[in-house]
Amino acid sequence: MRNLTLLIKPASGNCNLRCTYCFYNDVAENRLVKYYGMMSHETAEVIIQRALVEAKQVSFCFQGGEPTLWGLDNFRFFTETVDRLKTNRVAINYAMQTNGVLLNESWAAFLNEHHFLVGLSLDGYKELHDLHRPDSYNRVLKAASLLKKAGVEFNILSVVTSETAGHTDKVYRFFQRQGFQYLQFIPCIDDFEHNETNLTVAQYGQFLNSLFSLWYRDCIAGHGISIRYFDNILSMYAGYPPEQCSMNGVCNIQFTIEADGSVYPCDFYVLDHWRLGNVHTDSFQSMLTSDTAKWFIAESASIQEECTNCRWLRICRGGCKRDKEPIPSSNRFCQTYKTFFEDSHERFIELRQIIASKPLNPVSFHI
């Protein structure tokens, strides 16, 4: 295969925070082995060897749990092993999603040296952030400062909860004041029982409409910032495909790798019945063409009959598979998206016309 993206969990689901909305805790409760400990050097080297043999471009993306718990020395081992084993024909990219708590000057220097793209989790101003990520706000802001000083490219990942939806303007302006130009907002994920614990459908609709109005006004005024979801929609209006997997209408196999080397098709589905294989015994190509992988993709492509005649299907494309659990069912945000697309349609057309004379490249500055 030409391009290979690996989502690596070197510390499994282990984390130094206990965020109240953590979806991975629910994942862990739905499998036989909840946590797989820390990744060994042997497993890390096998991952690298297989990737370099099977692809011409490899993106090693680290997440968790909290990946920095694996330790800086282990990350150094990983990049040194890549340098030792790779040939000139293979292009390498690195990325990391982190809560930022353990980042220091040594980490920042390492991330800059190896050109990591970093996703930093920050839900907003102190009271909002610490509500679900206890006592971590100051440490995350310090991490952001260290990354800026070291020249590390990073974006902000913010989880949308009911509290966020009630203070959208305050959250948006907070990020602006901090000088953060690349934002990704993701709705708080239901558990597999589909319980709306931290965000209702109505609240997410309120959030989307409020956020878009703020973003649109700033774009028109000439000082807009990047919000991944809106960037992708605007790209689609301009004739480009979305880069965000949840907007493709069908899942890709993302090769999510647990600490023991087991491989799964998606970070949301690190579950026993979706296990594709293990890097110690299986190639990525064989896992990609396995019956389990085919089943996962086919299931994600299913849409409800009511969707087939929906005006907004070309933009919505059914949404993320996780939001359609239990399969098959409609996307839980279906009505939210219908209302949002109806309200924002003319303004997206206006923005498309403004940029029509300029080439619009698909947004890639995100994890």
Side-chain angles (χ1 to χ4, degrees):
M1 58 189 75
R2 181 170 183 81
N3 299 316
L4 182 60
T5 297
L6 306 179
L7 305 182
I8 304 171
K9 293 179 171 294
S12 188
N14 296 294
C15 190
N16 48 353
L17 293 181
R18 286 295 178 262
C19 303
T20 60
Y21 51 51
C22 180
F23 80 88
Y24 205 79
N25 287 335
D26 184 46
V27 170
E29 291 299 322
N30 281 274
R31 63 189 194 188
L32 291 177
V33 178
K34 291 180 172 56
Y35 301 107
Y36 289 89
M38 297 293 170
M39 182 173 287
S40 68
H41 282 191
E42 178 188 6
T43 296
E45 187 158 346
V46 169
I47 292 171
I48 295 166
Q49 288 173 334
R50 286 201 181 277
L52 296 181
V53 167
E54 296 191 47
K56 295 186 180 300
Q57 179 169 315
V58 182
S59 295
F60 295 109
C61 306
F62 297 89
Q63 52 193 75
E66 173 50 41
T68 58
L69 288 176
W70 198 38
L72 183 53
D73 286 344
N74 286 321
F75 273 89
R76 288 192 175 114
F77 166 81
F78 194 99
T79 56
E80 288 168 0
T81 303
V82 170
D83 290 341
R84 174 169 56 85
L85 296 179
K86 79 178 182 71
T87 64
N88 291 331
R89 73 174 189 87
V90 182
I92 303 295
N93 297 303
Y94 292 111
M96 176 192 289
Q97 181 64 46
T98 176
N99 61 33
V101 169
L102 293 181
L103 295 186
N104 55 26
E105 291 182 353
S106 296
W107 267 109
F110 168 81
L111 295 169
N112 178 62
E113 177 186 357
H114 295 281
H115 308 291
F116 270 72
L117 171 60
V118 175
L120 185 64
S121 295
L122 177 63
D123 286 348
Y125 52 89
K126 180 175 175 56
E127 295 81 4
L128 180 63
H129 177 88
D130 281 348
L131 183 64
H132 295 285
R133 295 174 170 269
D135 301 322
S136 60
Y137 172 83
N138 291 332
R139 288 177 288 176
V140 177
L141 279 196
K142 181 179 179 181
S145 178
L146 289 170
L147 293 175
K148 284 182 181 179
K149 183 178 180 181
V152 178
E153 290 188 330
F154 71 97
N155 58 64
I156 299 297
L157 177 67
S158 184
V159 176
V160 180
T161 62
S162 59
E163 294 84 9
T164 311
H167 300 88
T168 307
D169 183 275
K170 187 175 180 180
V171 171
Y172 179 76
R173 297 306 179 196
F174 164 80
F175 285 132
Q176 279 192 319
R177 289 195 303 273
Q178 294 296 324
F180 299 138
Q181 293 293 308
Y182 299 92
L183 309 178
Q184 179 181 357
F185 294 95
I186 59 172
C188 193
I189 297 172
D190 286 353
D191 59 30
F192 282 108
E193 297 302 318
H194 216 56
N195 298 312
E196 291 184 339
T197 54
N198 287 299
L199 181 69
T200 67
V201 169
Q203 288 167 340
Y204 186 53
Q206 172 190 347
F207 169 80
L208 268 187
N209 285 298
S210 298
L211 183 67
F212 178 75
S213 294
L214 294 165
W215 178 79
Y216 164 80
R217 285 202 296 267
D218 284 347
C219 287
I220 293 297
H223 48 79
I225 60 177
S226 170
I227 296 179
R228 187 182 189 187
Y229 182 60
F230 300 154
D231 290 346
N232 271 265
I233 294 175
L234 186 56
S235 291
M236 295 168 77
Y237 269 85
Y240 289 83
E243 54 78 32
Q244 189 170 336
C245 67
S246 62
M247 302 177 72
N248 280 322
V250 61
C251 290
N252 298 314
I253 300 301
Q254 296 185 18
F255 295 116
T256 302
I257 308 177
E258 258 288 3
D260 70 331
S262 294
V263 181
Y264 305 82
C266 171
D267 188 38
F268 293 158
Y269 291 92
V270 187
L271 299 166
D272 296 335
H273 64 279
W274 288 121
R275 184 179 180 276
L276 302 178
N278 190 293
V279 295
H280 289 282
T281 55
D282 304 287
S283 69
F284 291 114
Q285 183 62 39
S286 68
M287 288 186 278
L288 180 64
T289 57
S290 66
D291 289 342
T292 302
K294 292 175 182 177
W295 175 28
F296 184 81
I297 293 171
E299 188 176 270
S300 74
S302 65
I303 59 174
Q304 298 298 293
E305 185 176 350
E306 64 183 281
C307 297
T308 58
N309 296 318
C310 178
R311 177 186 181 189
W312 306 112
L313 180 59
R314 67 186 182 89
I315 301 294
C316 170
R317 302 187 182 187
C320 180
K321 172 183 168 73
R322 183 63 191 265
D323 290 327
K324 294 187 284 187
E325 291 287 349
I327 302 292
S329 64
S330 297
N331 190 296
R332 67 177 176 130
F333 295 122
C334 178
Q335 190 56 53
T336 291
Y337 291 139
K338 285 180 179 178
T339 302
F340 171 69
F341 295 142
E342 186 71 41
D343 291 345
S344 64
H345 176 61
E346 295 298 329
R347 286 176 286 178
F348 272 118
I349 290 178
E350 180 184 1
L351 291 172
R352 182 193 65 188
Q353 292 171 339
I354 290 173
I355 63 173
S357 61
K358 305 174 183 178
L360 178 67
N361 295 319
V363 176
S364 59
F365 191 76
H366 295 283
I367 291 179

